[in-house]
Amino acid sequence: MEIEMSTFEHNTPVSGYPRLAQEMGNAPSIAMVRRFTDLSNESLLYFQAQLVILERELHDLQARDARLSASIEPKPKPRCSRDWYWLGIDSPECDQWNKVLEIRQVLKEYEEAVLRQLKLNSLNPPSKYDLDDIQTRFKHSAMSSSDRIGLIGEDEYVWGSKVPSTKTREAKDLVALSPRPESDPFSTFIMERCTPWLYQHLRKINETIFVNDRTQLRYTAMLTTVVASLLPIASIAVLYSSKSTKVRIGLVAIFTFIFASSLVCFTTAKRTDVFSATAA
């Protein structure tokens, strides 16, 4: 995460793609691009249609060759469907074998495209915070005369826009190249809310501040460890000091609620994990 204030750097890249690339390099979490899912799906459909036609043509050739009499052909074509030897040693002009080679090439490209699409679809979209971050950078860039990203092509609004003077455009179909490490709700709140507020309102530094997400996660992990250690000790101490059975039952209910809430806030536990831990 990068907390940005007024800054001036020497040797700043020129506006446009070099400047945007530097911004993404300085803050990897805002490195995001379009998947072009529609185009990828359309390309796969074209591959599929092409293969359907090639498959039908191959079957037609196989049926034609199977009907030929062995007495007509010196190398019996009816054997081609049962013995590759007769298909492989046929003349280079063999329609059936040439069709197999054509299908093999198209099928290879199709399978590679499918695997790439599966890999691309498995990547996570950018978080709302990071998308807002890059949109804010474009907004500040558009309002600045010296510190500009300055894209002017049709890809200017790939990431959406916050500039009031432009038509509102929503970012869609984006994929994060360097997503933030998975974190619990408490750590997310610290990184996305508390830390930016502290730097923007309490510290007056006229330079760009870089706060590593992993550094913040280490501190929140330490705090989580402290809470996990103190919670059972506190519950035992409070229950021991209470003499009333009714009060103890109430305290057990309260500490059970606190324990379940802590699991939700300080860990990435699933709902089933919360229920299991609370019931135990």
Side-chain angles (χ1 to χ4, degrees), residues 7-15 18-19 21-23 26 146-147:
T7 181
F8 177 81
E9 297 183 19
H10 296 287
N11 301 321
T12 300
V14 297
S15 61
R19 181 56 190 276
Q22 184 199 49
E23 294 280 343
N26 291 338
S146 57
D147 186 19

Coordinates of all heavy atoms in Angstrom, one line a residue, residues 7-15 18-19 21-23 26 146-147:
T7 N 4.6 15.4 -3.8 CA 5.9 14.9 -4.0 C 6.5 15.4 -5.2 O 5.8 15.7 -6.2 CB 5.9 13.3 -4.0 OG1 7.2 12.9 -4.1 CG2 5.1 12.8 -5.1
F8 N 7.8 15.4 -5.3 CA 8.5 15.8 -6.5 C 9.7 14.9 -6.6 O 10.5 14.8 -5.7 CB 8.9 17.2 -6.5 CG 9.6 17.6 -7.8 CD1 9.0 17.9 -9.0 CD2 11.0 17.7 -7.8 CE1 9.7 18.2 -10.1 CE2 11.8 18.0 -8.9 CZ 11.1 18.3 -10.1
E9 N 9.8 14.2 -7.8 CA 10.9 13.3 -7.9 C 11.7 13.7 -9.2 O 11.1 14.0 -10.2 CB 10.5 11.8 -8.0 CG 9.8 11.3 -6.8 CD 9.4 9.9 -7.0 OE1 10.0 9.2 -7.8 OE2 8.5 9.4 -6.2
H10 N 13.0 13.6 -9.1 CA 13.8 13.9 -10.3 C 13.8 12.6 -11.1 O 13.5 11.5 -10.7 CB 15.2 14.2 -9.9 CG 15.3 15.5 -9.1 ND1 15.2 16.7 -9.7 CD2 15.5 15.7 -7.8 CE1 15.3 17.7 -8.8 NE2 15.5 17.1 -7.6
N11 N 14.1 12.8 -12.4 CA 14.1 11.7 -13.4 C 12.8 10.9 -13.4 O 12.7 9.7 -13.5 CB 15.2 10.7 -13.0 CG 16.6 11.3 -13.0 OD1 16.9 12.2 -13.8 ND2 17.4 11.0 -12.0
T12 N 11.7 11.7 -13.3 CA 10.3 11.1 -13.4 C 10.1 10.7 -14.9 O 10.3 11.5 -15.8 CB 9.3 12.1 -12.9 OG1 9.5 12.4 -11.6 CG2 7.9 11.4 -13.0
P13 N 9.6 9.5 -15.1 CA 9.3 9.1 -16.5 C 8.2 10.0 -17.1 O 7.5 10.7 -16.4 CB 8.7 7.7 -16.3 CG 9.2 7.2 -15.0 CD 9.3 8.4 -14.1
V14 N 8.3 10.1 -18.4 CA 7.4 10.9 -19.2 C 5.9 10.4 -18.9 O 5.7 9.3 -18.6 CB 7.7 10.9 -20.7 CG1 9.1 11.5 -20.9 CG2 7.6 9.5 -21.2
S15 N 5.0 11.3 -19.2 CA 3.6 11.0 -18.9 C 3.2 9.9 -20.0 O 3.7 9.8 -21.0 CB 2.7 12.2 -19.1 OG 2.8 12.8 -20.4
P18 N 4.8 5.1 -19.7 CA 6.0 4.9 -18.8 C 5.6 5.4 -17.3 O 6.1 4.8 -16.4 CB 7.0 5.9 -19.4 CG 6.7 5.9 -20.9 CD 5.1 5.8 -20.9
R19 N 4.9 6.5 -17.2 CA 4.5 7.0 -15.9 C 3.6 6.0 -15.2 O 3.7 5.7 -14.0 CB 3.9 8.3 -16.0 CG 3.5 8.9 -14.6 CD 4.7 9.0 -13.7 NE 4.4 9.3 -12.3 CZ 4.2 10.5 -11.9 NH1 4.3 11.6 -12.7 NH2 3.9 10.8 -10.6
A21 N 3.4 2.8 -15.7 CA 4.1 1.6 -15.4 C 4.9 1.8 -14.1 O 5.1 0.9 -13.3 CB 5.1 1.2 -16.5
Q22 N 5.5 3.0 -13.9 CA 6.2 3.3 -12.7 C 5.3 3.3 -11.5 O 5.6 2.8 -10.4 CB 6.9 4.7 -12.8 CG 7.7 5.0 -11.6 CD 8.0 6.5 -11.4 OE1 7.1 7.3 -11.5 NE2 9.3 6.8 -11.3
E23 N 4.1 3.9 -11.6 CA 3.1 3.9 -10.5 C 2.8 2.4 -10.1 O 2.7 2.1 -8.9 CB 1.8 4.6 -11.0 CG 2.0 6.0 -11.2 CD 2.0 6.9 -10.0 OE1 1.5 6.4 -9.0 OE2 2.4 8.0 -10.0
N26 N 5.8 0.9 -8.3 CA 5.9 1.4 -6.9 C 4.8 0.8 -6.0 O 5.1 0.6 -4.8 CB 5.8 2.9 -6.9 CG 7.1 3.6 -7.5 OD1 8.1 3.0 -7.6 ND2 6.9 4.8 -8.0
S146 N 1.6 19.2 -13.8 CA 3.0 18.7 -13.9 C 3.1 17.2 -13.6 O 3.9 16.5 -14.1 CB 3.8 19.4 -12.9 OG 3.3 19.3 -11.6
D147 N 2.2 16.7 -12.7 CA 2.3 15.3 -12.3 C 1.2 14.5 -13.0 O 0.1 14.3 -12.4 CB 2.1 15.2 -10.8 CG 2.3 13.8 -10.3 OD1 2.9 13.0 -11.0 OD2 1.9 13.5 -9.1

